[in-house]
Amino acid sequence: MTTEQKKELLAFVRQYYEHKLLKQEKPVLEPDPGYDKDLGLFVTLHYQRELRGCIGYIQAYKPMRSALEEMAHAAAFEDNRFSPLDEAELEHIKIEISILSELMKLDKWQDIMIGTDGILLKQGTNQAVFLPQVAVEQNWDLETTLKHLCRKAGLRPNAYTDPQTSFEVFTAEVFSENELLD
C-alpha cells in the first residue's frame, strides 16, 4: 500500500468514529481497486498507549472496503474486553490498521518467527490469534508468547507443545496514526 492509501484508510476510520459519536457525515472511501480486494485485516485502538480495542478478520471474507468499516465499528463498540468508545475518548485514541497476508500452516511451533509472524493457534474448538506486533510490544520471547496465546484460547499454558495443537502464521502490513499522521 502507498503512504497515501494508508493515510486515507486511517482517516476513514477516524471519520467513521466522528460519524458515529459526533453525528457527522458518514465517510466514503474513494474508488481504488486496492480497496476492493478480499483481505484479512484488524483495526486496533490505543488510548494513552494502552490497548483500547482490537478486532479483525484473520482471513479474507469480504473486500477491504467493507471489512474496514465493519472492523472499525467492532473494535470501538463491540470488543467485549472494553466499554464502547465514547465521545470524550475520541480525540485521544490512536488508530492502527493491520492488513494481513494469507495464512500458512506450520508443522512445528519452533518455526514461528517473533516480530514477523502473526500466529493462529488451534486445538479442537479452541483458538486464538496474536498479530505480529503483539509479542514485540510485550517484549515476549516465543515460548512466553505461546503461553499467553494458549491462555487466550482457553487452554492450559503449555498446550502449544501438545501434538493436537496446530499453528498457522501470517504477516501483516501495520500502519498507524502515530507513524503517519503525527
Side-chain angles (χ1 to χ4, degrees), residues 102-118:
E102 291 187 24
L103 292 167
M104 184 178 79
K105 188 157 180 55
L106 288 183
D107 292 326
K108 55 187 181 180
W109 63 266
Q110 294 90 340
D111 291 337
I112 297 169
M113 296 185 313
I114 292 296
T116 300
D117 292 332

Side-chain angles (χ1 to χ4, degrees), residues 1-161:
M1 302 205 84
T2 68
T3 299
E4 289 310 309
Q5 287 172 315
K6 292 175 184 178
K7 287 180 178 179
E8 184 177 9
L9 295 175
L10 290 165
F12 173 84
V13 173
R14 170 76 53 193
Q15 291 164 5
Y16 177 79
Y17 294 147
E18 291 168 352
H19 159 70
K20 294 302 280 185
L21 295 169
L22 305 176
K23 309 298 184 224
Q24 294 184 6
E25 186 175 332
K26 187 173 181 182
V28 176
L29 277 174
E30 293 299 317
D32 187 314
Y35 301 158
D36 295 324
K37 293 179 184 173
D38 289 0
L39 295 168
L41 67 83
F42 275 71
V43 173
T44 304
L45 303 179
H46 291 94
Y47 180 81
Q48 298 178 344
R49 300 180 192 240
E50 296 292 324
L51 182 65
R52 177 61 180 82
C54 181
I55 295 188
Y57 284 126
I58 192 78
Q59 293 180 301
Y61 291 107
K62 56 180 63 177
M64 183 172 53
R65 174 184 309 282
S66 303
L68 183 63
E69 181 176 333
E70 189 176 328
M71 293 305 99
H73 183 87
F77 305 110
E78 297 173 2
D79 189 330
N80 61 15
R81 298 170 293 178
F82 305 96
S83 60
L85 185 68
D86 64 42
E87 186 178 332
E89 295 173 295
L90 185 57
E91 69 179 282
H92 302 290
I93 62 162
K94 293 296 181 183
I95 300 163
E96 177 180 277
I97 298 172
S98 301
I99 300 185
L100 311 185
S101 70
E102 291 187 24
L103 292 167
M104 184 178 79
K105 188 157 180 55
L106 288 183
D107 292 326
K108 55 187 181 180
W109 63 266
Q110 294 90 340
D111 291 337
I112 297 169
M113 296 185 313
I114 292 296
T116 300
D117 292 332
I119 310 164
L120 174 61
L121 172 146
K122 294 181 184 178
Q123 186 184 92
T125 58
N126 298 61
Q127 68 178 32
V129 65
F130 278 154
L131 295 171
Q133 60 269 35
V134 170
V136 174
E137 290 170 356
Q138 298 300 320
N139 208 17
W140 292 337
D141 62 16
L142 177 56
E143 291 187 26
T144 303
T145 300
L146 293 176
K147 287 176 183 178
H148 284 280
L149 195 55
C150 287
R151 286 188 196 111
K152 184 177 180 185
L155 302 168
R156 66 189 191 296
N158 67 344
Y160 67 93
T161 62

